[in-house]
Amino acid sequence: MNKKNLLIGSALVLAALLVVGGTMAWFTAGAGPVTNRFTAGTVEIKLHDVGGYDDDKDEVPFTPNGIPNVNPGDEYLKIVYVENTGSKAIYVRAKLTPEWKDPDGNLLPLEAGTPPVLMATFPLLDNGWFLHTDGYYYYKDPVAPGASTAYLIDGVEFAGAAMTNDYQGATFTLMVEAEAVQASHEAYKDEWGTGVPTLTPYTP
């Protein structure tokens, strides 16, 4: 082999080595992971059923044992309102269910006499609540987190001279229930039905 062929052969071997041993590099970039976190809000309420106040002006819940020896014509403090203890604005509705029972546990009519008179009343306060045909009291405005509705009622009154002897020894109960739904997206229409009247629009 002559010297010229030896040089060409050496050049080819070197070129092959460069191809095999070389690296290819493309332009690249990277970025760290990003976590998007969404935490759902909460709809929570506290029903306040107040029967009085202590010396420090703190609320005293209405006694679960009731009030004995009630007289016709008596009036008793009973404040009902709802507090928003969740993180979202809400709409609120409540139901008041009155009931009279005689000493044997038999139901008595809510009203008696001619003309009929309610034997016990719990006047609705004119402050944002209204009674709908479905039997619920609706609070017109959305309630912000940490805020409360106005009072629904603030007392129970018993009929005076109109109360008949049929109610001697009878027991009157007033069951109070409350419900809430998120104020956003008009959710109350889905939860409470299309027959519910339009409430004050919620603006976040």
Side-chain angles (χ1 to χ4, degrees), residues 141-175:
D141 298 326
V143 182
S148 299
T149 67
Y151 293 168
L152 174 58
I153 60 172
D154 65 356
V156 174
E157 305 171 6
F158 292 91
M163 184 172 284
T164 70
N165 285 330
D166 292 337
Y167 292 83
Q168 285 201 57
T171 300
F172 175 75
T173 59
L174 181 61
M175 185 171 67

Side-chain angles (χ1 to χ4, degrees), residues 39 136 162:
T39 302
Y136 280 93

Side-chain angles (χ1 to χ4, degrees), residues 50-151:
V50 183
Y53 296 89
D54 61 20
D55 293 338
D56 295 324
K57 307 299 183 183
D58 293 325
E59 295 178 355
V60 176
F62 196 85
T63 171
N65 298 323
I67 298 175
N69 208 30
V70 172
N71 297 301
D74 282 355
E75 298 181 11
Y76 294 93
L77 182 70
K78 182 180 174 65
I79 294 173
V80 174
Y81 68 97
V82 179
E83 178 185 359
N84 182 355
T85 58
S87 67
K88 298 186 64 63
I90 57 173
Y91 288 115
V92 175
R93 70 177 182 177
K95 179 174 269 190
L96 302 176
T97 306
E99 187 177 81
W100 277 102
K101 285 186 177 180
D102 68 17
D104 296 323
N106 301 308
L107 286 174
L108 291 171
L110 298 177
E111 55 186 18
T114 306
V117 175
L118 286 168
M119 295 294 98
T121 57
F122 36 94
L124 175 67
L125 301 175
D126 185 18
N127 54 5
W129 291 91
F130 62 91
L131 177 60
H132 188 48
T133 55
D134 61 4
Y136 280 93
Y137 296 85
Y138 288 82
Y139 194 64
K140 181 179 65 174
D141 298 326
V143 182
S148 299
T149 67
Y151 293 168

Side-chain angles (χ1 to χ4, degrees), residues 5-27:
N5 289 337
L6 180 63
L7 290 175
I8 292 174
S10 298
L12 292 174
V13 171
L14 179 61
L17 289 174
L18 287 175
V19 171
V20 172
T23 59
M24 299 180 63
W26 297 97
F27 289 166

